[in-house]
Amino acid sequence: TKALETVRDDDRSADKKNAELFETLAEIYKQRKQPDLAESNYLTSLKHQYNTAVKIKLGDVQLDSKKYGAALNIFLQLLKSRLNNNQRVAIYIGLGVSNKGLNKYAEAILNYNKALAISQRKGWDDEVILLNSKLATLLQEEGKVADAEGYLDNSVQLARKKSKKTSARQNTVAADFYNKTNSYDKEIQLRKEALEDIEEMEQETNEAPISVDDNILSAQVQNYKIAKAFAAQDEYDEAIPYLKESIKEAASKNDLI
């Protein structure tokens, strides 16, 4: 607010400065997980000066609030703008998430595939991994498990060519997928591979490679989930060592799930 007070009404660049200030406020509220306040400040920023990137952020924050209809309208409007490839991918992803939230799965799949095509053409591996995962999840929910596995395998194979953290994260995503289909052997194998990457990262950094939003990437969590997968098949002798290791990890890090 003090920064806003320094913008004079007779300043020719007042609208530009105010737009930037309200965008910054919106970013702060988004980081604090206050999407309604973030949305309000993005809207105010856009009133002062239109900016395609800010309007994309507005749509994204509406998705955070599960305002799928409002977000869908924003992203559809944005398609009429002049866009670079990064923006086009972000908008197609936004359309995918919006349509999924509205249970319009065919439209969601269509838009995710448009984003995937651009990302593959540009060699944007992180987006390709993300979009393969999103498509796998949608297809699984539609009951098209074989098709979903194809996308999922693509994401896992590509992630293995990236960093240990990327590989571990994608293996856990795939493991969660197989857990939902009761394919416990595949789940266990993927979690063991993720666990190997996580333990190597912990040795290299001397600490668990996790953040508040990334706590699945801990040895404790993966050991626990491996134990659960064995137990689901009544293989308790195999489950017990992983459960014990999970409890040991949790005790040392005060992190029992």
Side-chain angles (χ1 to χ4, degrees):
T1 39
K2 286 184 179 179
L4 289 170
E5 291 168 7
T6 65
V7 181
R8 294 166 52 93
D9 291 337
D10 59 353
D11 186 341
R12 290 183 180 179
S13 60
D15 277 335
K16 181 176 183 294
K17 290 178 180 177
N18 279 321
E20 290 172 352
L21 287 167
F22 280 107
E23 180 188 359
T24 301
L25 278 172
E27 298 286 350
I28 291 168
Y29 284 122
K30 181 175 172 62
Q31 288 176 0
R32 291 179 178 175
K33 302 192 184 304
Q34 295 176 282
D36 288 340
L37 290 172
E39 178 183 357
S40 174
N41 280 281
Y42 280 135
L43 284 166
T44 304
S45 174
L46 288 165
K47 284 177 183 175
H48 282 286
Q49 186 177 73
Y50 179 81
N51 183 297
T52 297
V54 172
K55 193 162 183 175
I56 292 171
K57 291 177 182 178
L58 170 62
D60 285 339
V61 87
Q62 287 174 331
L63 291 177
D64 291 341
S65 298
K66 302 190 186 323
K67 296 179 180 177
Y68 299 117
L72 181 67
N73 289 332
I74 291 291
F75 291 122
L76 287 172
Q77 291 168 16
L78 279 161
L79 278 181
K80 301 171 186 175
S81 307
R82 257 183 109 153
L83 305 166
N84 60 40
N85 284 311
N86 278 297
Q87 291 170 334
R88 198 167 289 278
V89 167
I91 290 163
Y92 283 135
I93 291 174
L95 285 167
V97 177
S98 301
N99 279 297
K100 182 178 184 293
L102 295 168
N103 294 318
K104 297 179 179 178
Y105 280 35
E107 287 296 316
I109 290 169
L110 176 66
N111 282 288
Y112 283 148
N113 271 312
K114 287 180 179 179
L116 180 60
I118 296 171
S119 300
Q120 287 174 325
R121 191 170 69 247
K122 291 292 180 181
W124 296 338
D125 290 346
D126 289 343
E127 285 78 7
V128 172
I129 292 167
L130 170 71
L131 287 158
N132 273 293
S133 291
K134 286 183 176 294
L135 282 159
T137 300
L138 270 176
L139 289 163
Q140 182 189 46
E141 290 177 12
E142 282 198 311
K144 299 175 181 176
V145 177
D147 291 340
E149 286 183 0
Y151 282 103
L152 193 67
D153 186 58
N154 288 340
S155 70
V156 169
Q157 295 304 320
L158 184 55
R160 283 174 180 161
K161 299 175 184 177
K162 308 292 285 184
S163 68
K164 284 189 180 72
K165 188 170 185 177
T166 300
S167 178
R169 184 186 293 112
Q170 201 55 35
N171 277 336
T172 62
V173 169
D176 289 341
F177 172 96
Y178 286 117
N179 174 269
K180 290 176 183 175
T181 59
N182 298 330
S183 302
Y184 297 117
D185 288 342
K186 290 181 180 179
E187 176 194 356
I188 290 165
Q189 181 58 38
L190 286 160
R191 291 203 192 283
K192 284 181 177 179
E193 290 175 16
L195 187 57
E196 187 177 329
D197 283 333
I198 291 165
E199 288 173 344
E200 285 181 16
M201 285 190 287
E202 289 179 348
Q203 288 171 5
E204 289 168 6
T205 61
N206 224 7
E207 61 181 26
I210 61 171
S211 67
V212 173
D213 296 322
D214 210 13
N215 65 1
I216 60 166
L217 294 188
S218 74
Q220 189 260 319
V221 171
Q222 294 309 312
N223 274 304
Y224 175 74
K225 291 190 174 184
I226 291 170
K228 278 187 69 178
F230 275 123
Q233 302 174 90
D234 297 329
E235 296 177 8
Y236 299 109
D237 288 342
E238 288 81 0
I240 288 169
Y242 288 97
L243 185 58
K244 284 182 176 178
E245 189 61 31
S246 175
I247 293 168
K248 179 182 170 184
E249 288 271 344
S252 68
K253 297 185 174 75
N254 193 27
D255 187 35
L256 188 64
I257 58 173

